[in-house]
Amino acid sequence: MNLRAATGMFVLLGLIGCQQAQTRFQSAEELEKEAEVKTVGDVTAVDNADPIPVSGVGLVTGLAGTGGGAPPGSFRTLLESDLKQRGINNTKEILESKDTSLVLLSALIPAGARKGDPLDIEVSLPEGSKTTDLRGGYLQDCWLYNYDTTHNVVPTTTRANVTLKGHKLAKARGALLVGFGDGDEPARQRQGRIWGGGVCGTD
């Protein structure tokens, strides 16, 4: 019995010794390697989790002689094309009228927005515009699009990085409220907002 007990004692002590020998602290290098392991969240993105910026070019009417003089360039070309598609042919006269103005529009479609949800529209003037005051103006129907760049859509392309028009995602219309934003009083009269003047066009 004493021999058996002594043998069992030695076996037990040997197992404890092995277990203690296997237990050790990880080195700083090993911990750093474990920290480099990427998780699913590191390499994925949740779709429709961020607001979508949309923008467009519109026509404001109803100005009391403070508009006119739409500057030449891509914005004017876009607006003229849009007006012609609606069957309006005297675009030059309209854009030169002192009672109208070409304006730039922008809005954010929040994540999870549904078709028909209202949007607030920011209104500004392009560089070179001769419009001095947007008070009393009314924005006619226009579409707002999302935009991207060539290199973002096709990273491997060797073509020039140009802006690409996306889809019609919102529509805007309504009376302008001016006097917001930074700058002095004349600068604030050249920008405005349309509270709830936009409508989300898709889910």
Side-chain angles (χ1 to χ4, degrees):
M1 292 294 293
N2 290 337
L3 182 59
R4 289 180 181 177
T7 303
M9 181 80 63
F10 283 123
V11 171
L12 181 61
L13 290 174
L15 291 174
I16 293 173
C18 291
Q19 191 173 25
Q20 289 177 343
Q22 291 174 355
T23 304
R24 63 183 179 80
F25 292 106
Q26 291 177 299
S27 67
E29 184 177 340
E30 290 173 327
L31 289 173
E32 186 176 350
K33 285 183 178 179
E34 285 188 5
E36 291 176 356
V37 176
K38 292 184 177 181
T39 65
V40 173
D42 294 327
V43 295
T44 60
V46 180
D47 190 28
N48 199 28
D50 296 318
I52 301 173
V54 291
S55 56
V57 180
L59 178 69
V60 167
T61 59
L63 300 177
T66 58
S74 58
F75 295 132
R76 178 164 180 154
T77 300
L78 286 172
L79 184 55
E80 287 177 341
S81 176
D82 180 58
L83 293 175
K84 287 179 180 177
Q85 287 179 3
R86 301 185 192 186
I88 302 173
N89 296 318
N90 57 332
T91 57
K92 184 177 180 179
E93 291 80 2
I94 291 174
L95 295 180
E96 293 301 326
S97 170
K98 293 291 185 180
D99 297 327
T100 68
S101 178
L102 180 154
V103 294
L104 306 180
L105 312 167
S106 63
L108 286 176
I109 300 178
R114 308 293 291 180
K115 184 175 181 179
D117 285 355
L119 304 170
D120 294 331
I121 306 297
E122 298 287 339
V123 183
S124 61
L125 293 169
E127 186 176 352
S129 174
K130 295 181 180 178
T131 298
T132 59
D133 197 336
L134 289 172
R135 283 180 298 181
Y138 190 92
L139 176 68
Q140 299 299 318
D141 285 337
C142 66
W143 285 100
L144 279 69
Y145 300 79
N146 62 330
Y147 288 84
D148 213 326
T149 61
T150 307
H151 289 181
N152 193 36
V153 175
V154 187
T156 58
T157 186
T158 57
R159 296 183 178 181
N161 193 28
V162 298
T163 302
L164 304 173
K165 181 192 281 190
H167 305 282
K168 294 178 179 178
L169 297 183
K171 197 172 187 179
R173 177 189 179 96
L176 275 65
L177 295 175
V178 301
F180 301 97
D182 301 325
D184 54 16
E185 184 65 17
R188 290 196 296 270
Q189 299 301 332
R190 300 180 78 246
Q191 55 188 311
R193 294 175 185 168
I194 308 176
W195 300 113
V199 177
C200 185
T202 184
D203 291 337

